[in-house]
Amino acid sequence: MAVATSATGRAGDDRDLRPVAQAFALAARSARSTARQPEMWLPSLIFPLLIAAVNNSAMARAVNLPGFPPVDSVLQFLLPATIVQGVMFGAVSGGSDLALDIENGFFERLLASPVARPAILVGRLAGGALLGACQTVVFVVIFAVFGARVEGGPLAVLALMAMAVAVTLMVGGVTAAVGIRTGSQETVDAAFPLIFILLFMSSAFFPAELMDGWFQWMALHNPLSWMIDAARRLVIFGFDWSDAFEAVAVPAAISVVTIAVAVRQMQKRLERDR
């Protein structure tokens, strides 16, 4: 009886672990697919670095403005924005790849298999989140080479990596919802500029306190500003638990909403295909 109970318990545990294992397998597939296609992740590294280089030259004297944060260089001010920018580039690939899976029929084969439905979405987004964490390390190292250090040390870098993962899930949830809804890779790619505008209407590239009029109002009420400002304090002033929590909690809370929308779109697609 004890053996039977133990066997039953193991079977139950296996069933509980199965969706997790499936999500890991799909995440590994997503990560391998991305790693094999440099054209997918290289732009998300190169373009943010080019924009940071241009802004560093254009805004070199801005650090002397009254009210500008006390930084060693503009690059130190721009590091959190560059991370978010790069992660947004990469996060779009998750929804784009999901749409490609629908276009080439792989998504339908997954639905016909015993794979748990949430594992399909979680696996695809988890692969993008891993890419976001790796991008953060690359940006931190490159900026450090040019003298823009993270004053918060290793704990701050870990917080920046966690923020990047949360941002990937936040943006990936939106693009996955669009991809599942439309089944079109081109539509997902076309939606990216709309997401990117939110970044430019935040304090990512200039302090909101030095802005004026409606643009300042937009920046102060933009959740991306709350997240980036908290991350910026980790970079400039040092590690603080409340700043680390704010930098991660804001995108994590929004990602709950965006992923819920993506799951709802998946349910609608399943009901439509029955």
Side-chain angles (χ1 to χ4, degrees), residues 56 59-64 68-78 143-144 146-152 232 235-237:
N56 185 48
M59 297 169 56
R61 294 185 177 181
V63 297
N64 298 321
F68 201 93
V71 293
D72 297 330
S73 70
V74 178
L75 284 179
Q76 197 177 25
F77 177 84
L78 293 174
F143 273 58
F146 289 93
R149 295 188 312 162
V150 177
E151 297 296 339
R232 185 169 288 142
V235 174
I236 298 174
F237 299 110

Side-chain angles (χ1 to χ4, degrees), residues 7 34 40-41 68 87 96 126 130 132 176 205 207 237 245 260 267 269:
T34 302
M40 290 182 61
W41 50 266
F68 201 93
V87 168
S96 183
L130 176 62
F205 302 102
F237 299 110
F245 176 79
Q267 290 172 341
R269 187 175 188 90

Side-chain angles (χ1 to χ4, degrees), residues 124-145:
R124 179 58 74 184
L125 295 182
L130 176 62
L131 173 64
C134 295
Q135 284 177 307
T136 301
V137 175
V138 173
F139 286 135
V140 168
V141 171
I142 292 177
F143 273 58
V145 169

Side-chain angles (χ1 to χ4, degrees), residues 196-237:
F196 211 60
I197 286 174
L198 293 176
L199 181 64
F200 283 97
M201 299 186 73
S202 71
S203 61
F205 302 102
F206 202 73
E209 293 77 11
L210 300 182
M211 298 177 185
D212 193 19
W214 67 270
F215 200 85
Q216 183 189 44
W217 189 91
M218 289 292 297
L220 290 174
H221 293 81
N222 188 337
L224 293 182
S225 295
W226 310 339
M227 170 187 72
I228 290 174
D229 288 345
R232 185 169 288 142
R233 289 192 290 272
L234 294 173
V235 174
I236 298 174
F237 299 110

Side-chain angles (χ1 to χ4, degrees), residues 17-86:
L17 289 174
R18 194 174 177 187
V20 177
Q22 292 168 347
F24 270 112
L26 290 172
R29 172 183 176 272
S30 174
R32 285 196 300 271
S33 173
T34 302
R36 291 169 181 167
Q37 302 177 72
E39 67 274 13
M40 290 182 61
W41 50 266
L42 268 180
S44 66
L45 289 175
I46 294 175
F47 288 141
L49 290 174
L50 288 176
I51 292 174
V54 170
N55 283 331
N56 185 48
S57 298
M59 297 169 56
R61 294 185 177 181
V63 297
N64 298 321
L65 289 173
F68 201 93
V71 293
D72 297 330
S73 70
V74 178
L75 284 179
Q76 197 177 25
F77 177 84
L78 293 174
L79 176 55
T82 302
I83 292 172
V84 173
Q85 202 176 7

Side-chain angles (χ1 to χ4, degrees), residues 83-107:
I83 292 172
V84 173
Q85 202 176 7
V87 168
M88 280 185 165
F89 272 117
V92 173
S93 66
S96 183
D97 287 349
L98 196 55
L100 180 62
D101 287 345
I102 294 173
E103 287 180 344
N104 62 25
F106 182 73
F107 185 78

